Amino acid sequence: MGRSVRVTVWNEYRHERSEHHPACKIYPEGIHGAIAKGLRVESDFEVRTATLDEPEHGLTDEVLANTDVLTWWGHAAHGEVRDEIVAKVHQRVLEGMGLIVLHSGHFAKIFRSLMGTTCDLKWREGNDHERLWVVEPGHPITCGLGEYIDMGPEEMYGERFDIPAPETLVFVSWFSGGEIFRSGCCYTRGRGKIFYFRPGHETYPTYYNDDVRRVITNAVRWANPTNGPVPTFGNTQPLEK
Ligand code: ZN
């Protein structure tokens, strides 16, 4: 048995605390609570949560140094995430920490800074039916899934999604309104692996869906840092005489 995977589930945690917001009823323990619960089923995962309104957004140096994979959900308060914390998360990704960016996290400062593009997209809250097609069935993130995930009603995200071309595109969503979307996108930045996964609008119980939980669990395993060599940089002497 290998060492455990240390996962930190980060959430903005604002909608769920506002009494009249639908998310309050759907996620009484917060979106992070639902995601963490799905991950804690795995006996080798060590899962903690962190939220925006904790000191340093719950992402202290100690927490970041002891996180193998960070998951990120944010929506209404991207602008309140402090730049110096974003810079620290960015640095940890370059060092090898995995990052799973969920749904409206497409506009998070950390995702935009790692992508270098606007990460903008089309959207509509109209109970569109979403079906996520697996387009890379050999990829570890699809382990245990069928040919597609039937999400039922969800918020629509449509192309153009202004991201760099993914290194691997794992899912493509179809929406009943006619749009399509690149819903599962893999990247590498430095030593770190990044996975963007689309579903998860706060007014739907998406993070209780077994297939969604399976994808997030698989993505954590995929993004878990490997024990590869640490490169050296700068002026260097020849190895051969
Ligand atoms: Zn949304």
Side-chain angles (χ1 to χ4, degrees), residues 8-12 31 35 52 57 59 64 70-75 78 81-82 85-86 89 97 99-111 195-197 207:
T8 301
V9 176
W10 192 89
N11 180 20
E12 176 181 291
I31 284 174
I35 293 170
L52 177 66
H57 310 324
L59 300 174
L64 286 175
L70 175 67
T71 75
W72 194 278
W73 195 100
H75 177 227
H78 293 311
V81 179
R82 282 159 44 200
I85 305 289
V86 175
V89 173
M97 183 181 74
L99 178 68
I100 314 298
V101 176
L102 299 166
H103 187 61
S104 39
H106 72 91
F107 258 165
K109 286 180 182 177
I110 183 60
F111 190 60
F195 181 63
Y196 173 81
F197 188 51
Y207 295 114

Side-chain angles (χ1 to χ4, degrees), residues 75 103-104 155 157 201-202:
H75 177 227
H103 187 61
S104 39
E155 180 184 20
Y157 277 7
H201 188 64
E202 65 276 5

Side-chain angles (χ1 to χ4, degrees), residues 44-173:
D44 60 333
F45 284 9
E46 217 178 279
V47 182
R48 72 171 111 203
T49 64
T51 56
L52 177 66
D53 292 326
E54 294 171 37
E56 297 185 58
H57 310 324
L59 300 174
T60 61
D61 291 351
E62 193 267 332
V63 168
L64 286 175
N66 291 289
T67 297
D68 296 311
V69 182
L70 175 67
T71 75
W72 194 278
W73 195 100
H75 177 227
H78 293 311
E80 293 179 48
V81 179
R82 282 159 44 200
D83 291 340
E84 63 268 32
I85 305 289
V86 175
K88 285 180 186 181
V89 173
H90 191 128
Q91 182 57 32
R92 280 287 294 129
V93 171
L94 298 183
E95 289 167 6
M97 183 181 74
L99 178 68
I100 314 298
V101 176
L102 299 166
H103 187 61
S104 39
H106 72 91
F107 258 165
K109 286 180 182 177
I110 183 60
F111 190 60
R112 295 170 75 169
S113 79
L114 285 162
M115 294 298 106
T117 54
T118 69
C119 300
D120 211 345
L121 45 76
K122 292 185 179 68
W123 61 276
R124 174 174 62 244
E125 289 185 71
N127 275 332
D128 277 85
H129 189 131
E130 176 178 18
R131 198 174 286 129
L132 288 97
W133 286 91
V134 173
V135 293
E136 210 54 69
H139 197 279
I141 289 177
T142 71
C143 186
L145 299 176
E147 270 199 294
Y148 58 84
I149 301 173
D150 197 333
M151 283 309 307
E154 247 284 7
E155 180 184 20
M156 185 283 292
Y157 277 7
E159 298 284 346
R160 158 86 175 162
F161 183 17
D162 186 27
I163 46 171
E167 291 164 23
T168 309
L169 179 62
V170 180
F171 297 102
V172 173
S173 281

